[in-house]
Amino acid sequence: QKEVEQNSGPLSVPEGAIASLNCTYSDRGSQSFFWYRQYSGKSPELIMSIYSNGDKEDGRFTAQLNKASQYVSLLIRDSQPSDSATYLCAVSEYGNKLVFGAGTILRVKS
Amino acid sequence: EAGVAQSPRYKIIEKRQSVAFWCNPISGHATLYWYQQILGQGPKLLIQFQNNGVVDDSQLPKDRFSAERLKGVDSTLKIQPAKLEDSAVYLCASNSRTVYEQYFGPGTRLTVT
């Protein structure tokens, strides 16, 4: 059974701080890794994808992947109250179904 | 580019009734997915289509759930008869053969009473 584990949170950070979200996965065959943001009552919104070991930066977001440790993380710099949401980690083999974690609730306090 | 479309957005039915959901993927996306998201959990795949063929339906409760994608474009997911535990958000997603990112529609929130 392929599993994706995330801390449920809530993770509370002050406005302007760095939020660090973590995810581990069990299937070593996983090749694609994604972070989705989900606001309450809304559907998941893709914010980052990463396929190779190392860091990938996009604006205030940085995704980090370590396949040897089966670990994916998302850093959000200069956190804003609008970043408050549930962050879902998802993994897949190329082009196939996503296996999601349960999500981490992030709260950014102004 | 238009996103994934779903309807209806909300549905309330009584247990043992039937219900159907519709999804139209992003234009040109060959792969379509139906996910079920129960409150407090991450989405779970129900079925994956490649064009009009089923790739993965291993987690679809086939005694009550069915899905089709007859012309390789839009898709319908049906539940008959519904149970209380089917209360969830049903999400449709799509991607192309060469781009692995999946994009989700707004979802259908089903409440079974």
Side-chain angles (χ1 to χ4, degrees):
Chain A
Q1 182 76 5
K2 301 176 182 179
E3 294 182 348
V4 176
E5 299 289 337
Q6 295 181 254
N7 290 328
S8 61
L11 173 66
S12 293
V13 300
E15 184 175 357
I18 296 175
S20 178
L21 305 163
N22 304 314
C23 170
T24 59
Y25 60 95
S26 64
D27 182 16
R28 286 193 173 275
S30 299
Q31 297 291 336
S32 308
F33 306 87
F34 306 92
W35 284 98
Y36 285 83
R37 177 175 63 199
Q38 187 171 32
Y39 292 114
S40 181
K42 302 294 186 181
S43 63
E45 173 192 9
L46 180 67
I47 54 172
M48 289 288 288
S49 60
I50 187 167
Y51 302 99
S52 303
N53 281 329
D55 296 357
K56 179 181 178 183
E57 185 174 321
D58 184 359
R60 296 186 296 112
F61 299 98
T62 299
Q64 299 175 317
L65 173 61
N66 184 325
K67 290 185 179 180
S69 300
Q70 296 175 245
Y71 177 87
V72 191
S73 66
L74 179 71
L75 300 177
I76 306 175
R77 290 181 300 281
D78 188 23
S79 295
Q80 301 298 309
S82 59
D83 295 325
S84 298
T86 297
Y87 288 80
L88 297 164
C89 174
V91 305
S92 78
E93 297 176 9
Y94 284 127
N96 285 315
K97 69 177 183 184
L98 296 174
V99 178
F100 283 88
T104 298
I105 298 170
L106 174 65
R107 294 178 181 160
V108 181
K109 297 183 177 180
S110 57
Chain B
E1 181 181 73
V4 177
Q6 289 188 248
S7 67
R9 294 294 308 279
Y10 306 92
K11 191 75 176 178
I12 301 174
I13 62 172
E14 295 181 351
K15 60 184 179 182
R16 292 187 290 274
Q17 287 187 325
S18 62
V19 64
F21 313 127
W22 174 83
C23 171
N24 193 304
I26 293 171
S27 178
H29 280 191
T31 310
L32 183 149
Y33 309 80
W34 284 101
Y35 291 87
Q36 179 193 58
Q37 186 175 24
I38 293 171
L39 188 64
Q41 300 180 18
K44 182 186 77 172
L45 181 77
L46 292 174
I47 190 166
Q48 175 185 348
F49 292 95
Q50 179 80 23
N51 297 310
N52 60 353
V54 175
V55 174
D56 185 346
D57 64 356
S58 58
Q59 297 186 84
L60 187 73
K62 298 181 185 62
D63 58 335
R64 298 184 301 106
F65 286 64
S66 64
E68 60 184 14
R69 193 184 184 199
L70 294 177
K71 297 183 180 179
V73 180
D74 56 350
S75 175
T76 301
L77 176 69
K78 296 179 181 178
I79 307 174
Q80 182 180 10
K83 293 185 175 182
L84 295 177
E85 58 261 35
D86 297 332
S87 294
V89 176
Y90 291 84
L91 296 161
C92 181
S94 69
N95 65 353
S96 70
R97 291 182 182 181
T98 55
V99 177
Y100 302 130
E101 288 84 357
Q102 292 183 25
Y103 296 92
F104 285 83
T108 297
R109 183 175 299 275
L110 174 67
T111 302
V112 182
T113 63

